[in-house]
Amino acid sequence: SIVLRRCAACLGASGIMLGAYGGHKLSGGALERWRTAVLYHLVHATAILGLSASIKKKKQNKALVASGSLLTIGTLCFSGSLYLKTLGMFPKGGFGLITPIGGMCMIAGWACAVF
């Protein structure tokens, strides 16, 4: 899927940029949280890129499209919330569940890839 390939490319590029930022600007516990976010960010960008290639070969397998979509949403929620928390920009209130929801989306995405 061209959409997933573009998502993967954007995630990959932004993951490298954010990793470089954290490596130069952060230290201690903030750097550790940032590294966790970057790790999940880049691993899932790579997985999404692989899924986009598989979808092209298998003519829009719905489970693979769902997998790629869930991995993309999960990465944005999980890693994005960790970046915002580290920078002290995470909104107060009911947004605390964004990180685990992102994690659950990633788990569901991997599960969809089985089919």
Side-chain angles (χ1 to χ4, degrees):
S1 161
I2 187 93
V3 173
L4 286 178
R5 188 173 77 216
R6 288 180 179 161
C7 287
C10 290
L11 285 172
S14 61
I16 297 297
M17 290 186 284
L18 288 163
Y21 172 83
H24 291 286
K25 298 288 185 184
L26 301 172
S27 62
L31 180 58
E32 287 306 310
R33 183 185 304 183
W34 197 269
R35 283 182 177 162
T36 299
V38 170
L39 173 65
Y40 280 81
H41 190 146
L42 290 174
V43 164
H44 288 86
T46 305
I48 295 163
L49 184 62
L51 284 169
S52 73
S54 294
I55 290 167
K56 189 173 181 179
K57 290 180 182 179
K58 294 187 179 195
K59 298 184 182 176
Q60 293 293 334
N61 179 308
K62 289 181 183 180
L64 293 180
V65 172
S67 176
S69 299
L70 286 164
L71 290 176
T72 301
I73 292 165
T75 301
L76 292 171
C77 291
F78 181 84
S79 292
S81 65
L82 290 181
Y83 295 134
L84 292 174
K85 285 178 184 179
T86 303
L87 296 173
M89 298 170 58
F90 197 75
K92 302 285 187 235
F95 290 96
L97 292 176
I98 295 295
T99 309
I101 288 170
M104 288 187 292
C105 285
M106 289 188 289
I107 292 166
W110 283 105
C112 284
V114 171
F115 304 102

